[in-house]
Amino acid sequence: MKLFSYIVPVLGTKLASSVYADKAYYKGQELVGSAVGHYAGYDGEKNFEWTSATIAAEGDDFIDISFSSTVGDLHWVVFDGLAGSYQYLVNRGLPDLSIVRTLWRLDPELFLNGRTYLRDQPLPDFALYANATKVQDETWELADGTFITKYDFSDYVRDRDFYGIYGPKVGSWYIHPGKDYYNSNQLSQTLTVHRESATGDSVQLNVVQDTSHFRLGNATPQPKGKIWGPWLWYLNDGSVEDVERQRQLELQNWPYSWLNDTAYQSRGELVGLLKLSDGRPASGAAVYLGDVNATTRPLVQGSNYYYTTYANENGEFSFADVRTGDYALYAWSYGGVLADVYSNFSRSAVSISEGKKLDLGSLTWAIPEGRRPIFQIGDFDKKALGFTNGGPPYRHGVADQSPANLTYTIGVSNASDWYYAQSLIGTWTIEFELSALDISSHANSTAILSISLAGYSQSAALDLDINGQHLATWSKDTLASDPALYRSGKISGEWRFFQYEVNSGVLHEGTNTVGFTVTRYTQWRGFMWDSVILEWA
C-alpha cells in the first residue's frame, strides 16, 4: 500500500501545536509555504485543539485517521492513489452554535485564483490592501471607489458543484456530493474562498454549518454524534475540468459505503405530489425536508440533517437517500408559473424508514382564492431576481446605486425598472389606474396589499402609504436586521412578508399610488425587494 506516502505529507508534523497542520505536498510541491495551513473551529476563532490521533478504521485501500479534541473528532480518510482526503467531523461536545468550518490557508504564490459555481477569477492582489481603506469587516475601499471583500465569493450552498483555489501548477478543491449535513434550505448561503487581508494567504473555507452570515443569526443545539460530511478535499494540477470529472465519480458513490456508521447508512426515500387548492400543479416549487419543530425558521434550522429539491412541471417531487427519522415538509414558490403564490406549504411528522419508499400521495397547498389582481411587481420567490442589480454576482455597495426617487407605472414599466434594493432617502411610487367600473364593481370590497422583502439591513426606515394614507412604518424597531445587503448580497437575505387591508373608499377612479418613502438612510443598508401585489379581496 502507498497510503502513508499520502498521509504523512498531507498532515505534516505539527500535531504538537494542537491546532494546525502546516505542511501539505502535491507531486513534491509544498503547498502551505508561509501560510497558516489547515485547522478547524466554530463560531469565530474557537479552534479545535487536537489531543491525539488514532486509526479509526482501515481497509485494503484506505485508512481513516481520527484527530480528537474535547468537542469533536475530525477524520481524514485517505485512499491509495487519490490525492487529497475524504473528511468528516463528529460532534463530541460542541455547545449551541452558529458556525462550524474547516479551512486551508495556502501559499498565495501557488494559489492565485478562486472558483465557485458563480465566479472563476483571480483572488485580489495582496498589494491592493496596502493603500485601501477598511470600511467594515474584511471589506476594503480602493482609491477608485471600488471594493474588495471576502463576501464577493459567497454562494448558495445547495447550488454548489465544487469550489476551491488554484493556480497553473496545483489546485485545492472541496467536493460535497451529499449536502444533507448542510443546515437550512435552498436560501442558505455562506463564504467559500478569499484573500486573507492581514497575511495574503489564499483561503479555502469549508463552512459546513452557518446560521449566521446573510440571515438573522441563530445558535442551534448539536446532538452528540452528529456527523458533518464526508466531503472530499481534492488536489490536482489546477484543472477545473478534472475536478468536474472527479465530482461525477463522487456523486455516483455517495452515500459512501466505506463509512461504517449505522445511522449514516440507514436511509429511505420520499415521493409526493403537490397541487395548489385552485387546481394548479405546484410546478417548480422549492421543496424542503426540515425540522419537525416549526417554531424554528427553515433558514436557521441547524440541529439535524436537511434535504432540498424542486417539484417538476406536474408538481411531483422526490428525495432519495434520506437518513431515517422524522421530518417536516415545506414548500414555497420559486417563481415561474407560481409567481403569484405568496403562501407557504408545510406538513409535519414525515417519517422515513430504512429501505422504504414513503409515498405521500397528492398534497393540497392552500392558497387564497377568489382574489383578483390589480397589479404585481416581481415574482414571489424570496429573491430579488428580475430587478435592476438583483441577482449574481455578489458585489459590495450596490444598494447605493439605486435611485432615491422612482416612479413605476403599471402597464408601462417593466420589472427591470424596479431596483433590487431601496436605500437612499426619497420615495418610490407605484402608479396604477382604476376605472369607474373597477370602483363600482368592488364598492363593498377591500383590497389586500401583500409585500415580500428578500432582506432588510438596519438602520434604514421606511413609511408605506396608499393614496397618501399611512399603512405602516418599517424600521429597526419593527424588523430584525440581516447582514445580506451590506455583505455583497444582491439575491436574498432573510425573507419577510407583510399584508395590509385597504379599506373600501381608499382607492378611487383614475390614478392611484402606493408609496415607499425612506426616512432614514444608513450606508449600504436598506430594503431588498421580492414582490409587491395588490388584489381585490
Side-chain angles (χ1 to χ4, degrees), residues 22 32 97 264 299 432 453 492 507:
D22 70 341
V32 176
L97 52 77
Y264 175 83
L299 193 56
F432 60 100
L453 294 180
S492 71
L507 299 177

Side-chain angles (χ1 to χ4, degrees), residues 191-391:
L191 304 166
T192 58
V193 302
H194 64 89
R195 173 79 68 201
E196 175 58 46
S197 63
T199 63
D201 294 358
S202 295
V203 182
Q204 181 187 9
L205 287 160
N206 181 44
V207 184
V208 293
Q209 176 96 7
D210 186 350
T211 55
S212 178
H213 293 105
F214 299 101
R215 69 204 91 187
L216 307 183
N218 187 63
T220 60
Q222 302 304 314
K224 189 173 182 179
K226 178 180 177 180
I227 293 177
W228 290 273
W231 58 84
L232 175 61
W233 170 56
Y234 182 64
L235 294 170
N236 72 358
D237 294 333
S239 167
V240 173
E241 293 76 18
D242 174 66
V243 191
E244 176 56 31
R245 287 191 292 269
Q246 187 66 40
R247 172 177 171 264
Q248 293 303 321
L249 291 175
E250 302 309 320
L251 290 171
Q252 294 171 24
N253 293 328
W254 184 88
Y256 297 119
S257 60
W258 49 258
L259 180 54
N260 185 21
D261 179 89
T262 301
Y264 175 83
Q265 299 295 346
S266 179
R267 297 174 184 265
E269 188 177 353
L270 175 69
V271 297
L273 173 67
L274 266 176
K275 288 188 175 181
L276 305 183
S277 56
D278 64 4
R280 286 182 288 168
S283 304
V287 189
Y288 167 64
L289 274 183
D291 291 346
V292 174
N293 180 6
T295 60
T296 303
R297 304 185 314 280
L299 193 56
V300 293
Q301 292 177 359
S303 297
N304 299 306
Y305 301 95
Y306 304 95
Y307 300 85
T308 60
T309 191
Y310 298 91
N312 68 15
E313 61 182 8
N314 299 317
E316 298 166 327
F317 63 89
S318 64
F319 295 93
D321 295 314
V322 179
R323 280 174 171 259
T324 57
D326 293 334
Y327 298 87
L329 182 71
Y330 302 83
W332 62 95
S333 167
Y334 231 48
V337 299
L338 302 184
D340 62 329
V341 177
Y342 45 74
S343 67
N344 299 317
F345 173 88
S346 65
R347 170 176 168 161
S348 294
V350 175
S351 296
I352 304 299
S353 300
E354 184 174 2
K356 304 291 186 181
K357 177 191 284 189
L358 175 61
D359 189 344
L360 296 177
S362 182
L363 305 172
T364 300
W365 178 347
I367 64 170
E369 295 184 45
R371 293 184 178 176
R372 296 165 296 282
I374 299 172
F375 70 79
Q376 182 176 357
I377 303 174
D379 292 358
F380 285 102
D381 56 9
K382 302 186 180 180
K383 291 185 174 183
L385 303 178
F387 302 135
T388 293
N389 290 334

Side-chain angles (χ1 to χ4, degrees), residues 6-85:
Y6 288 95
I7 199 73
V8 173
V10 165
L11 298 180
T13 58
K14 203 173 181 182
L15 182 59
S17 76
S18 79
V19 175
Y20 303 103
D22 70 341
K23 293 288 187 294
Y25 293 86
Y26 178 71
K27 294 185 176 181
Q29 174 70 61
E30 207 285 306
L31 307 180
V32 176
S34 61
V36 170
H38 183 275
Y39 55 106
Y42 64 99
D43 284 358
E45 294 302 317
K46 298 176 182 176
N47 295 323
F48 289 69
E49 296 190 16
W50 312 113
T51 57
S52 64
T54 58
I55 297 176
E58 57 184 317
D60 292 339
D61 60 349
F62 78 92
I63 186 169
D64 181 339
I65 297 181
S66 173
F67 294 87
S68 297
S69 75
T70 58
V71 291
D73 300 337
L74 179 62
H75 290 250
W76 291 57
V77 183
V78 181
F79 275 78
D80 200 3
L82 179 63
S85 171

Side-chain angles (χ1 to χ4, degrees), residues 381-408:
D381 56 9
K382 302 186 180 180
K383 291 185 174 183
L385 303 178
F387 302 135
T388 293
N389 290 334
Y394 289 74
R395 188 154 62 91
H396 179 72
V398 181
D400 279 358
Q401 296 179 12
S402 298
N405 298 289
L406 181 151
T407 298
Y408 187 101

